[in-house]
Amino acid sequence: MITIEHLKKTFKKNKVEAVKDVSLEIFDGQIFALLGPNGAGKTTTMRMLSTLLTPTSGKIFFDGKELGENEEKIRSRIAFLTNEIRLDGQFTPDELADYYGGLYEMTSEKINERRDELFEYFGISEFRKRRYDTFSTGMKQKTSLAICLLHDPDTIIFDEPTNGLDILTQQLIESYLLKLKEEGKCIILSTHILDLVGRMADRVGIIVDGRSVFCGTVSELAPSQGVETIDQAFIKLYKENHEEKAIIGRHGKE
Amino acid sequence: MRKNHVLHVIKSEWKKTRKTPVQLVTMLLVPLLSVLFLSWCLSYVNVLVNRYKGTVYFPEEISAEEMEETLSEFYPDFSFRSGTMDDAQTRVANGRTDCAVVVEEKAIRILYDSSILTSSAALKDAKDLGLDISYLLSGKEFYDEVYEIYPETETLDLSTSADRLDSYLDRVGGVVGMIIFLMMSSNAMAISARSITGEKERQTFDTLVLSPAKLSKILTGKVLVMMAEIFLSGFVGFAAGIAGMAVWSPKEFAAITDNRGNVFVWMLVVLAILFAATLVITAVFSVIGSAFAQTKKASLFSSAGMVIVSVTAMLPSFIDAEVIRMFPLSNWTPLLKDLCEDDFTFTPIFTALAIGLLLFGLSMILSSALWERRSE
């Protein structure tokens, strides 16, 4: 279980307050969808969760343990995949598995076992000796997914995992995420595809202008806003909170 | 058992190096060309310095034959005869001898034609020969007077102050050595700039940072592989250059010896120092440069560093004695003292090495802070 309390991140260099106040609760064995318009602070929140960024203030707890004090241990249990993070193109999938497996202190037997399983599932096996930079976008994404799941993490953080992929690859990834959910993993997804949220997510968190404005089950979202669909609820929440910012801005309080 | 992350990163990253033959060939090219140039210079100069004709003139009261018996074994390029300053001037002027050592009552004068390239080697031997003669004859003060008289004896208008004329070989060797050092540094910095920062720019570094391995261990592994690449390129380049020289002019190559012993050992010492300096500087710039998010910025930083290192390295050549005083390296160890006093070429390299080590220590301390700042 992950608990986020009043998370804040200010980039000192360009004085941007990317995340102002985000509080969320994410449970094991569920898919948590993180929604928000572009620039709302989703990626920054996810980067803080994955330990790539240090929060300016606020706390993150993994199963009751605070992230700051147990970063190294917690990091070994996390997988983070985003379109922005790429693997070194000069390696083959086999070499990448050896490299990253070694960094996660996996034994050779365990690496081989996981590699065979994941490569087989994602259809990488026949390309395992080919360099990563020769792959198509879909194949790269599948390889990245296989490599980042190699160490069998408990928490999987995906930033727009199916963005730009064909329907077959999307389905493959979606079904694997559901498999992981069944195994009791904690999955956090950031996406703009609300249909995907409706089909897969158990809980949802919405961030607008760096603030969490909703955190609850998918089934609660629409009724809580007095509308019928997730889309309508999202737009309503966005308009309400974005307008609030604009009013504050006009009064010079920001 | 806990895995050694540094070794693991080295092993994995090395696989990548193996797969980039073009990169390795490019890396080899710079030191290879520079070393071939050095070997050409050395062999060319050596051909020249070993071919001169010298003559020693003794006054009537000293037996030229006796002196020849004692000295000809050590100075095979000199002939010994009786004669005066006038004889020497005539002989040098008409080109029958390149260098004349004239023994007079209270002085030993050296005449030579400085317009020919063999003059520096001839002069070097003539000075040694003059010293030996002075010991054999009346005493040390006899030779000491040479330097007082010598500049005034420019009767042929061809002589140059012995104080100002260094060994031609040393001069060429020093300059080329410095060029190689700078070329290797720039090569190394180019590699370091594109390595870690390049990976960050390509967004392939975050995946490594996400692993439980400590950032310092990942960086150390990567920097060591990078240093190995540079070492390999430099070492193969140097070895090829030395082999080229041996094949090119084997006679001269075998004949090159100086007061430091066999040229091969001497070149290996230079090689080791150049590598040590280059590698330390590379490590410094890689670690500090890794804090930058863009290759452009890292390159800019490396270029600035390059200027600093170059100035640090070049400055002592111009103000050697002053710098020795400023950086009293000669007090460090007997080995350094010998090297520093023997050849000022070493001073800038040691200075750069010392500054490099200091910077490396600082950079290791600062690197975590810099990374933290990046994440801000």
Side-chain angles (χ1 to χ4, degrees):
Chain A
M1 183 190 169
I2 302 168
T3 312
I4 301 171
E5 289 177 1
H6 306 291
L7 207 60
K8 187 179 173 180
K9 180 69 190 176
T10 306
F11 292 100
K12 283 178 189 168
K13 197 177 169 186
N14 43 15
K15 292 174 185 169
V16 170
E17 220 178 352
V19 173
K20 292 164 188 166
D21 185 4
V22 169
S23 297
L24 301 166
E25 272 192 323
I26 304 158
F27 300 105
D28 293 343
Q30 289 190 354
I31 293 179
F32 183 89
L34 194 59
L35 302 179
N38 288 331
K42 300 189 300 294
T43 302
T44 307
T45 304
M46 289 181 125
R47 288 178 83 86
M48 284 191 276
L49 269 176
S50 65
T51 73
L52 276 176
L53 286 176
T54 314
T56 307
S57 64
K59 286 176 180 174
I60 301 170
F61 297 93
F62 280 80
D63 293 333
K65 288 176 185 165
E66 197 177 342
L67 180 61
E69 296 160 13
N70 306 281
E71 193 178 303
E72 209 175 308
K73 271 187 184 172
I74 289 169
R75 215 190 291 155
S76 64
R77 292 169 45 203
I78 299 175
F80 180 48
L81 185 71
T82 144
N83 286 331
E84 285 175 5
I85 292 181
R86 296 182 181 97
L87 297 169
D88 199 319
Q90 295 182 54
F91 290 115
T92 64
D94 262 353
E95 288 167 342
L96 285 165
D98 286 334
Y99 196 173
Y100 289 95
L103 289 176
Y104 283 90
E105 303 193 359
M106 294 169 72
T107 60
S108 302
E109 293 75 28
K110 187 71 186 165
I111 292 172
N112 288 337
E113 185 193 313
R114 287 287 293 166
R115 172 167 45 198
D116 290 346
E117 181 195 329
L118 289 161
F119 283 12
E120 190 60 40
Y121 185 89
F122 289 109
I124 306 163
S125 293
E126 61 178 302
F127 305 105
R128 60 201 297 165
K129 303 280 182 205
R130 254 178 66 179
R131 276 172 62 141
Y132 177 80
D133 55 8
T134 63
F135 290 169
S136 65
T137 312
M139 186 58 84
K140 275 183 183 166
Q141 185 75 337
K142 285 192 282 184
T143 309
S144 302
L145 195 61
I147 297 299
C148 88
L149 293 172
L150 192 79
H151 62 290
D152 199 12
D154 300 329
T155 305
I156 297 122
I157 305 165
F158 283 161
D159 194 2
E160 301 182 24
T162 55
N163 198 17
L165 299 178
D166 64 55
I167 187 74
L168 294 171
T169 314
Q170 277 185 33
Q171 278 185 355
L172 193 72
I173 291 174
E174 282 177 26
S175 59
Y176 198 79
L177 291 178
L178 289 171
K179 181 177 173 285
L180 291 172
K181 177 187 153 183
E182 282 166 21
E183 287 172 12
K185 313 281 187 192
C186 175
I187 301 157
I188 304 160
L189 284 183
S190 156
T191 182
H192 291 295
I193 309 165
L194 296 180
D195 176 50
L196 181 81
V197 178
R199 275 188 286 117
M200 293 182 68
D202 300 287
R203 284 168 59 81
V204 64
I206 298 175
I207 300 178
V208 177
D209 294 335
R211 289 189 172 84
S212 49
V213 294
F214 180 85
C215 182
T217 61
V218 175
S219 53
E220 282 170 2
L221 178 59
S224 72
Q225 300 305 312
V227 291
E228 289 178 3
T229 63
I230 297 172
D231 299 34
Q232 289 167 342
F234 175 76
I235 293 165
K236 193 179 176 210
L237 279 165
Y238 170 71
K239 279 183 176 171
E240 281 173 8
N241 292 282
H242 190 62
E243 279 166 8
E244 183 190 332
K245 179 202 168 194
I247 291 161
I248 293 167
R250 277 201 295 275
H251 289 278
K253 289 179 184 175
E254 277 233 324
Chain B
M1 200 177 81
R2 201 169 167 82
K3 205 170 180 106
N4 187 325
H5 286 141
V6 177
L7 278 178
H8 181 69
V9 172
I10 291 172
K11 210 173 122 189
S12 304
E13 291 288 330
W14 187 247
K15 283 182 189 164
K16 200 164 68 179
T17 304
R18 261 188 353 208
K19 282 192 282 186
T20 50
V22 177
Q23 192 176 312
L24 272 176
V25 168
T26 317
M27 280 157 48
L28 290 175
L29 213 61
V30 173
L32 181 67
L33 288 177
S34 54
V35 169
L36 281 175
F37 177 62
L38 171 67
S39 63
W40 177 79
C41 286
L42 289 179
S43 59
Y44 177 69
V45 169
N46 199 46
V47 168
L48 295 172
V49 297
N50 280 318
R51 290 179 190 168
Y52 67 89
K53 286 180 288 181
T55 313
V56 191
Y57 293 91
F58 292 97
E60 291 295 333
E61 52 270 30
I62 299 169
S63 166
E65 289 75 23
E66 277 180 26
M67 296 302 279
E68 187 173 9
E69 269 179 39
T70 317
L71 296 165
S72 62
E73 187 189 341
F74 307 104
Y75 301 96
D77 294 315
F78 281 86
S79 60
F80 298 77
R81 60 176 66 200
S82 294
T84 62
M85 188 62 174
D86 290 342
D87 299 325
Q89 281 176 353
T90 313
R91 209 171 164 83
V92 172
N94 64 25
R96 290 172 68 191
T97 191
D98 299 319
C99 176
V101 178
V102 185
V103 181
E104 294 180 338
E105 196 180 345
K106 280 286 183 185
I108 293 176
R109 301 185 190 199
I110 299 167
L111 295 177
Y112 67 98
D113 184 350
S114 64
S115 65
I116 59 170
L117 285 168
T118 54
S119 62
S120 60
L123 178 66
K124 195 178 172 190
D125 287 349
K127 282 159 69 182
D128 290 342
L129 178 58
L131 187 65
D132 285 348
I133 293 170
S134 72
Y135 281 127
L136 287 172
L137 297 174
S138 56
K140 288 171 191 170
E141 70 279 6
F142 196 77
Y143 177 74
D144 288 344
E145 286 181 39
V146 170
Y147 289 104
E148 289 169 25
I149 297 164
Y150 173 69
E152 294 164 15
T153 325
E154 297 179 44
T155 49
L156 294 172
D157 196 30
L158 294 169
S159 302
T160 309
S161 166
D163 289 337
R164 272 185 278 156
L165 195 72
D166 280 332
S167 158
Y168 197 77
L169 185 81
D170 279 356
R171 190 182 286 181
V172 172
V175 169
V176 177
M178 193 55 69
I179 290 169
I180 293 171
F181 169 67
L182 294 176
M183 283 174 120
M184 283 179 68
S185 299
S186 62
N187 190 25
M189 282 171 195
I191 293 169
S192 70
R194 70 154 196 272
S195 176
I196 297 167
T197 312
E199 277 203 36
K200 277 161 67 180
E201 206 167 40
R202 291 192 298 275
Q203 285 153 336
T204 57
F205 201 73
D206 280 350
T207 352
L208 292 171
V209 177
L210 277 167
S211 75
K214 280 198 169 75
L215 176 65
S216 60
K217 291 187 176 177
I218 296 170
L219 277 178
T220 307
K222 278 185 168 287
V223 167
L224 286 175
V225 170
M226 206 161 59
M227 288 163 95
E229 285 179 19
I230 295 157
F231 182 83
L232 185 77
S233 70
F235 189 81
V236 175
F238 261 89
I242 292 168
M245 187 164 70
V247 173
W248 197 338
S249 43
K251 204 172 139 192
E252 287 72 25
F253 179 74
I256 307 173
T257 52
D258 57 21
N259 59 352
R260 297 176 201 96
N262 189 283
V263 70
F264 215 87
V265 178
W266 158 237
M267 288 187 91
L268 284 174
V269 171
V270 174
L271 186 73
I273 294 170
L274 285 175
F275 276 153
T278 310
L279 293 180
V280 167
I281 291 164
T282 310
V284 171
F285 283 97
S286 317
V287 174
I288 301 177
S290 68
F292 292 101
Q294 295 169 328
T295 315
K296 206 166 81 179
K297 280 187 185 171
S299 300
L300 204 69
F301 169 76
S302 294
S303 305
M306 182 72 190
V307 172
I308 295 165
V309 172
S310 306
V311 170
T312 314
M314 289 295 198
L315 207 60
S317 302
F318 299 107
I319 48 166
D320 43 23
E322 293 304 317
V323 171
I324 282 278
R325 222 169 288 149
M326 281 161 64
F327 303 97
L329 297 169
S330 53
N331 296 336
W332 288 7
T333 68
L335 174 70
L336 285 177
K337 191 178 173 185
D338 284 352
L339 288 170
C340 290
E341 286 181 351
D342 206 24
D343 190 336
F344 282 121
T345 307
F346 282 103
T347 312
I349 297 168
F350 277 120
T351 312
L353 192 63
I355 293 171
L357 278 168
L358 189 72
L359 280 173
F360 184 64
L362 284 173
S363 69
M364 288 309 281
I365 297 164
L366 286 172
S367 62
S368 57
L370 285 164
W371 271 84
E372 187 56 35
R373 199 160 62 184
R374 180 189 76 89
S375 72
E376 293 288 337

